[in-house]
């Protein structure tokens, strides 16, 4: 999973494109649907976005966080910590990058929604592309992001 996260973010070189990385991650989540496995993904993304020296990588990481929150929730044990992390990033970047701010706000909003709804079917390629472009007005299965 870590290789797909760092490949998606651009922190390591990869022959896969972003769509291939997220599809692989979605397949692994379907295969190993343990809440601990899902929490590990969120923790790894937080670690990779926290004080990452590359703005492009940080943006990709938040994009990935949005994609994960479109399919599966953090456990009840991690939910509050993930929300606190999102809120702390929002506070720290208010005067910095607007895209990171937008993504962190969207993620903060979606943590509660996906937790209430539970695991969803993997988004289509079209829905993935809308999420990646920062479109927050599309309908993903049973809820509005």
């Amino acid at each position: 999973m870590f290789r797909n996260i760092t490949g998606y973010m651009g922190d390591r070189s990869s022959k896969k494109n972003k769509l291939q990385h997220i599809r692989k991650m979605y397949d692994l989540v379907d295969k190993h649907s343990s809440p601990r496995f899902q929490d590990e993904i969120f923790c790894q993304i937080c670690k990779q976005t926290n004080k990452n020296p590359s703005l492009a990588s940080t943006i990709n990481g938040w994009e990935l966080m949005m994609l994960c929150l479109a399919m599966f929730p953090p456990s009840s044990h991690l939910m509050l910590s993930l929300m606190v992390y999102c809120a702390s990033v929002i506070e720290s970047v208010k005067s910095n990058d607007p895209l990171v701010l937008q993504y962190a706000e969207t993620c903060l909003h979606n943590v509660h929604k996906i937790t209430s709804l539970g695991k969803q079917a993997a988004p289509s390629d079209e829905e993935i592309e809308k999420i990646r472009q920062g479109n927050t007005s599309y309908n993903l299965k049973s809820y509005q992001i």
Side-chain angles (χ1 to χ4, degrees):
M1 191 57 72
F2 186 71
R3 291 172 50 93
N4 283 298
I5 291 169
T6 55
Y8 186 97
M9 291 177 63
D11 288 337
R12 73 170 185 85
S13 60
S14 173
K15 293 182 180 181
K16 293 180 195 168
N17 63 34
K18 286 183 174 185
L19 185 60
Q20 290 169 317
H21 281 294
I22 193 63
R23 282 279 168 228
K24 178 79 172 178
M25 290 177 66
Y26 285 162
D27 290 345
L28 289 170
V29 167
D30 271 343
K31 191 181 215 182
H32 309 284
S33 60
S34 151
R36 288 176 49 186
F37 183 75
Q38 294 167 192
D39 282 354
E40 180 64 23
I41 293 168
F42 288 118
C43 290
Q44 287 181 15
I45 294 171
C46 290
K47 182 181 182 298
Q48 289 301 109
T49 57
N50 186 32
K51 298 180 184 173
N52 190 315
S54 166
L55 178 58
S57 175
T58 301
I59 289 169
N60 287 337
W62 280 100
E63 182 181 279
L64 182 58
M65 180 84 76
M66 286 193 314
L67 287 164
C68 289
L69 287 169
M71 183 182 169
F72 57 90
S75 71
S76 59
H77 298 292
L78 185 66
M79 183 179 95
L80 182 59
S81 296
L82 187 56
M83 292 173 79
V84 167
Y85 178 69
C86 292
S88 71
V89 169
I90 292 165
E91 285 301 311
S92 68
V93 300
K94 283 210 181 219
S95 62
N96 292 331
D97 187 72
L99 194 51
V100 172
L101 178 63
Q102 177 191 348
Y103 286 171
E105 288 173 341
T106 300
C107 288
L108 178 60
H109 179 73
N110 290 342
V111 169
H112 182 68
K113 280 187 172 184
I114 192 70
T115 301
S116 297
L117 291 167
K119 190 173 171 189
Q120 302 290 299
S124 67
D125 290 354
E126 182 179 288
E127 289 170 321
I128 288 171
E129 202 50 45
K130 287 179 182 178
I131 297 167
R132 289 186 59 226
Q133 293 171 4
N135 183 340
T136 58
S137 62
Y138 69 91
N139 187 334
L140 182 60
K141 308 295 182 249
S142 61
Y143 70 100
Q144 193 79 18
I145 290 187

